[in-house]
Amino acid sequence: GAGVSQTPSNKVTEKGKYVELRCDPISGHTALYWYRQSLGQGPEFLIYFQGTGAADDSGLPNDRFFAVRPEGSVSTLKIQRTERGDSAVYLCASSPTGFTGTDTQYFGPGTRLTVL
Amino acid sequence: TQLLEQSPQFLSIQEGENLTVYCNSSSVFSSLQWYRQEPGEGPVLLVTVVTGGEVKKLKRLTFQFGDARKDSSLHITAAQPGDTGLYLCAAFSGGYNKLIFGAGTRLAVHP
């Protein structure tokens, strides 16, 4: 398929462990976004990449969260010293340019992270 | 802080009924979007409304943007079980890159 893919689909970890979540955007999309969706809530913005650079990381909750996109395609969201409050579905989206209000964001199915 | 409030939170109806869900804010937005999300999937864009007072139709779904561009509604005519899902409204904050979402309306349509 040509959509956004995310791996793993589910991740269970223990409190204090390190996790990496991967996003493969739609080929050719320069803009990539990470969101977090807690139970019963809408998605919450975390970070936006334009190419390889993080153009807006204002939504990252603290310095335990970090994301990279080294070649302007695949992105990895990294969470250190996980806490139970980090449990949520982490959604990735991509869009062609990120420059206009008509630039549709296409979402992946998400990674469900559970911290025990 | 720009907030989008959606109502109702939950809606359970029978097939064939009509329904309206709402998205309200105290802020003015240049545009507003509606998404539908099914379990285990990401949100899928249904429509973007841009002009105050604008009405857009997508088959049995009618979307309206308030005149003041602070609120929006989604009306579904003759709901079907396939309409079941989480309906989210969203707007861009700080440019075109950061979407803020409401908490959603969870709709269940029973046969």
Side-chain angles (χ1 to χ4, degrees):
Chain A
V4 177
S5 62
Q6 293 187 245
T7 53
S9 55
N10 282 284
K11 176 71 177 178
V12 180
T13 191
E14 293 179 344
K15 180 175 178 295
K17 299 289 189 181
Y18 168 82
V19 296
E20 290 190 350
L21 311 179
R22 177 187 168 108
C23 172
D24 280 87
I26 293 172
S27 178
H29 281 192
T30 60
L32 185 145
Y33 315 80
W34 283 98
Y35 293 84
R36 177 169 70 174
Q37 187 171 23
S38 300
L39 195 62
Q41 299 297 318
E44 175 190 21
F45 171 83
L46 295 177
I47 187 170
Y48 153 63
F49 286 91
Q50 183 60 241
T52 60
D56 183 349
D57 65 358
S58 62
L60 294 178
N62 52 59
D63 62 5
R64 295 187 297 106
F65 289 75
F66 189 70
V68 295
R69 196 186 184 200
E71 297 179 356
S73 178
V74 170
S75 176
T76 304
L77 177 65
K78 307 180 181 193
I79 310 174
Q80 298 178 322
R81 303 183 305 279
T82 51
E83 299 178 357
R84 293 194 179 89
D86 298 335
S87 296
V89 175
Y90 289 81
L91 294 164
C92 176
S94 70
S95 68
T97 70
F99 289 145
T100 74
T102 59
D103 202 42
T104 298
Q105 294 188 20
Y106 297 88
F107 284 82
T111 293
R112 180 175 297 278
L113 175 67
T114 303
V115 182
L116 301 177
Chain B
T1 304
Q2 297 170 309
L3 291 175
L4 291 169
E5 296 185 358
Q6 292 191 243
S7 60
Q9 275 187 290
F10 302 96
L11 196 51
S12 180
I13 62 172
Q14 294 298 122
E15 182 176 2
E17 292 184 18
N18 301 332
L19 67 114
T20 303
V21 298
Y22 301 92
C23 176
N24 296 293
S25 176
S26 58
S27 301
V28 176
F29 296 105
S30 58
S31 64
L32 197 138
Q33 299 185 325
W34 285 92
Y35 291 79
R36 179 164 160 253
Q37 184 177 22
E38 298 192 46
E41 301 293 330
V44 175
L45 180 65
L46 297 174
V47 76
T48 301
V49 286
V50 178
T51 306
E54 180 177 6
V55 176
K56 280 192 173 179
K57 293 193 174 184
L58 188 67
K59 297 183 181 178
R60 294 176 293 99
L61 277 60
T62 301
F63 304 86
Q64 185 162 8
F65 202 13
D67 291 340
R69 292 184 288 128
K70 292 183 177 183
D71 54 86
S72 182
S73 63
L74 158 59
H75 182 80
I76 302 178
T77 303
Q80 300 177 358
D83 296 326
T84 294
L86 179 66
Y87 289 83
L88 295 157
C89 66
F92 288 108
S93 173
Y96 297 116
N97 315 120
K98 182 190 304 184
L99 277 172
I100 57 168
F101 285 84
T105 292
R106 191 165 297 279
L107 172 66
V109 183
H110 304 284

